[in-house]
Structures are given as C-alpha cells and as structure tokens.
Amino acid sequence: MSIYSPAQDWFKAPSGGERAWIGLALLWCVVLTLAMPYWHFKGKQNSTGESYAVEPMKFMERVDRFVQTNKVGEEMGTAVVEPSPGGDAYLQAQMWRWSPILKLRKGQTYRLHISSLDLQHGFSLQPVNMNFQVLPGYDHVLTVTPTEAGEYHIICNEYCGIGHHTMTGKIIVDE
Ligand code: CUA
C-alpha cells in the first residue's frame, strides 16, 4: 500500500523504446510457444509422451521378470541386463537407486519402460543430457535407439530425500 494516492492521470501509454521492448517480449512468447510443438515433432530427443497407468508393485514384478530372463552379469550388487534388440527394457527408480544396469546395442531400438516404486525421481542421462520425470503409478515408455557406444550415467535430478545425491545408475551401449 502506498502512502500517497497516485495522481489521477498516472497512466502513460508506452511509447518509443518501451513499446519496442514490450513488442519484442510478446514476439518471443509466441516463438517459444510455437517451439514446443515444433520440437515435439522435429526434435530427436523428445518423448512421445507414451505412458500407461501401472501399480508400483506390478511394475516391480515386470522388472523382476525382465531381470530374471535377461540377466548377463552383476556389478556391485546390481544386475546387468541385456534386453533383446527391438524388445522391451525396464528401468526402475526407487530411493535411492536405479536398477538394473542396462546393456544395449548401438543402432538397435528398444522400448524403455521407466517408473518409480516410491516417489518422484528425475531420469537424467549423462553426458547426453536427456531428462525425464519418473513418477510412481506411470509406466513411461521411451523409444530409444542409441547412436554411440559407450557408458552413460543416470543421475537423479529431482530431489528425493537424504540419499538423492547417491542415486546413480548406468546404461552401457555396445557396438
Ligand atoms: Cu531420486 Cu533424487
């Protein structure tokens, strides 16, 4: 609340430079609004938004089955799993780990199912910097085709409690 009331004719229509800046800001709003649908169709690193409702316990059962059938090794107590090319792969987030470690082949396409067993986590794939929300109750399906061999690290980029900073995972891409 101001101490003094404004003068009756306080409003002055913008003019000159102020007018130009308002125009530029509005134009930029329009550009960014159009960029969202544009990148959805043209960008190569965007999710199609495919997701399904799933009970966390049901998702865990699918992950367990996936691990049992495709396990090829173990690293520090985490299963290393190699899904069949063209098939389904599963990644489970929970406080505070990503599992299993996935072993994919370059140039092959996978349907990667990601979900959380407890609360919201953030899937951030480094160093390519792809980011997706991971929510309990939703099976988020990403269609992925790795284009470069190497080791990719998953970090959690959504604060999820005391062990958030330790929540890392791994995807290995072979030639
Ligand atoms: Cu999971 Cu932060």
Side-chain angles (χ1 to χ4, degrees), residues 85-145:
D88 292 292
Y90 288 83
L91 186 67
Q92 168 180 299
Q94 70 195 108
M95 291 187 283
W96 291 283
R97 61 194 295 248
W98 297 96
S99 58
I101 292 170
L102 294 170
K103 213 169 175 187
L104 309 178
R105 298 218 164 261
K106 181 181 157 182
Q108 297 291 340
T109 300
Y110 302 85
R111 279 170 61 77
L112 178 57
H113 300 254
I114 308 181
S115 192
S116 163
L117 298 189
D118 36 45
L119 38 76
Q120 179 172 14
H121 298 279
F123 172 91
S124 183
L125 191 66
Q126 301 301 331
V128 288
N129 198 25
M130 293 173 78
N131 298 282
F132 299 99
Q133 300 281 333
V134 184
L135 298 159
Y138 292 92
D139 174 5
H140 190 178
V141 186
L142 300 172
T143 306
V144 286
T145 311

Side-chain angles (χ1 to χ4, degrees), residues 33-43:
T33 304
L34 293 175
M36 285 189 281
Y38 175 78
W39 282 117
H40 178 77
F41 293 109
K42 282 287 171 195

Side-chain angles (χ1 to χ4, degrees), residues 96 98 120-122 156-161 164 167:
W96 291 283
W98 297 96
Q120 179 172 14
H121 298 279
C156 179
N157 65 1
E158 198 70 57
Y159 183 70
C160 56
H164 162 71
M167 190 169 166

